[in-house]
Every structure is written in C-alpha cells, then in structure tokens.
C-alpha cells in the first residue's frame, strides 16, 4: 500500500514537471470520443448520415473537458481564439463567399434532394464539431499548457507535433471517415 502511494506521488510529480505528458493525456482524452463513437456506429452498422451525426455528437460532448479547464483556470474565451468583436476588415472577408452562395441558387431552383440534404447537413454538423473540438483541445488547452512553460517556437512545434500524432490514428486505421463515407454515399 505504501509502495502504491509512493508511485502515485511520483506520477503526480512527473505530470507536474513534464507538461508534454499532460498534453499527451489531453490528446488521448480527445481521441476517446471519436473512438467510442466509431465503435458505436460500427456495432449498429449506421449509414453515412448516422455516422456523421453520432461522430459530431460525441465531439460536441468532448467539449465539456476544455470548458471545465477554461472555467477552472478562469481563462477568457479569446485565449482559445473565440472573439465576439467583428471588425470592418473581418466583415469584408465574408464578401468572398457571396459567389459560392450565388452558385447554389440554380440548385435550389431545380429542387432539393431531401436525402442529399440530410447527408450534407449531417456532414456539415460533423465537420464543424470536429473543427471546434480540435481547436479547443489543441489551440486551447494543449497550446495554453505548453506556452506557459516553453517559448513560442517550441510551443508551436510541440502542439503541431501532437496534432499530427493525433491525426496519425487515421493512417493507422487505414481510412478516413469523410472520404470513405462521401465516396460510399455518391457511388451507391
């Protein structure tokens, strides 16, 4: 029992002294959500829409942990890149998207394929939630933990390395959910 308590103290000291290990643990925590949702959609043999909705929902749930981190450390949301101030310059950038929206008008005039719109809507939900979760974990929690210890260059390199490491899971599995599901949807 004494030996276990000693190991627990050593582990805690190691985590405090080695922020990179804490960052790896944050990365693993984030990866648990897509892994768990992947197991669920595989067991229940979900279609593409179901896959995107379950994966997107799990990534939404994963945001609980970065939010707890923000509130615990009394951080501001702008630390994560979230701002509510919209400048005139930022508003001008939106104008670049007008041609894209105008290109949709002929499609709307032709009619809406509701099956396709469910697919596209669930894909958009999935993509947005993945992006928000990744930014919250990597640019938010992990970057903030590293920047408090290391200089800017080392922080950027380490957070980029962890980001790449997290995405190597797709390489190991041999697939990409978006490419596989999009291909499957449009072929069949």
């Amino acid at each position: 029992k004494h030996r276990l308590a000693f190991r627990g103290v050593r582990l805690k000291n190691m985590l405090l002294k080695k922020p990179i290990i804490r960052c790896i643990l944050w990365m693993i925590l984030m990866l648990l959500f897509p892994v768990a949702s992947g197991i669920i959609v595989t067991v229940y043999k979900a279609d593409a829409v179901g896959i995107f909705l379950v994966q997107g929902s799990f990534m939404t749930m994963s945001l609980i942990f970065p939010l707890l981190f923000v509130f615990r450390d009394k951080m501001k949301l702008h630390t994560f890149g979230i701002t509510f101030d919209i400048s005139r310059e930022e508003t001008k950038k939106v104008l670049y998207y007008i041609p894209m929206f105008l290109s949709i008008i002929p499609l709307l005039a032709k009619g809406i394929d509701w099956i396709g719109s469910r697919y596209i809507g669930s894909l958009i939900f999935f993509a947005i939630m993945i992006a928000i979760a990744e930014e919250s974990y990597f640019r938010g929690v992990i970057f903030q933990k590293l920047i408090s210890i290391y200089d800017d260059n080392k922080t950027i390199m380490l957070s980029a390395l962890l980001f790449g490491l997290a995405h190597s899971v797709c390489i190991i599995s041999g697939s990409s959910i978006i490419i596989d599901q999009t291909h499957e949807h449009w072929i069949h």
Side-chain angles (χ1 to χ4, degrees):
K1 205 172 199 180
H2 175 67
R3 186 179 242 179
L4 286 175
F6 179 69
R7 285 186 183 162
V9 169
R10 280 185 23 203
L11 179 63
K12 185 176 179 180
N13 287 338
M14 184 176 70
L15 288 175
L16 292 174
K17 291 178 184 174
K18 306 278 186 182
I20 193 74
I21 293 173
R22 293 179 86 176
C23 292
I24 291 170
L25 292 174
W26 273 100
M27 181 186 73
I28 291 169
L29 174 66
M30 188 203 79
L31 289 174
L32 290 176
F33 288 90
V35 168
S37 59
I39 291 169
I40 290 170
V41 299
T42 302
V43 168
Y44 288 103
K45 296 178 174 58
D47 64 346
V49 172
I51 290 170
F52 292 141
L53 290 175
V54 170
Q55 291 273 345
S57 298
F58 268 69
M59 292 314 289
T60 304
M61 288 187 291
S62 78
L63 292 172
I64 292 170
F65 295 103
L67 286 173
L68 289 173
F69 174 76
V70 167
F71 291 123
R72 185 195 73 193
D73 291 356
K74 296 178 177 65
M75 296 174 72
K76 304 287 184 208
L77 289 177
H78 70 81
T79 307
F80 284 73
I82 300 171
T83 60
F84 298 104
D85 298 332
I86 300 174
S87 69
R88 188 176 195 101
E89 291 300 315
E90 294 296 320
T91 306
K92 288 180 183 178
K93 290 180 184 177
V94 174
L95 297 176
Y96 293 115
Y97 294 100
I98 290 176
M100 181 181 70
F101 290 119
L102 290 175
S103 69
I104 296 173
I105 292 174
L107 297 173
L108 294 175
K110 182 181 174 191
I112 298 173
D113 174 13
W114 289 107
I115 294 173
S117 63
R118 276 188 28 215
Y119 175 83
I120 291 170
S122 63
L123 177 60
I124 290 170
F125 168 70
F126 167 74
I128 289 171
M129 294 320 300
I130 289 287
I132 291 171
E134 285 181 352
E135 289 297 316
S136 297
Y137 277 88
F138 289 100
R139 185 179 291 183
V141 177
I142 292 173
F143 189 85
Q144 294 308 314
K145 286 193 172 296
L146 292 173
I147 198 74
S148 66
I149 308 289
Y150 302 116
D151 65 15
D152 291 351
N153 291 333
K154 193 168 187 177
T155 297
I156 291 168
M157 293 300 290
L158 287 171
S159 64
L161 180 70
L162 289 172
F163 185 80
L165 184 63
H167 285 85
S168 67
V169 172
C170 288
I171 294 170
I172 293 168
S173 71
S175 68
S176 167
I177 185 169
I178 292 178
I179 293 170
D180 289 350
Q181 291 308 313
T182 304
H183 176 69
E184 182 75 22
H185 178 74
W186 294 114
I187 297 299
H188 299 288

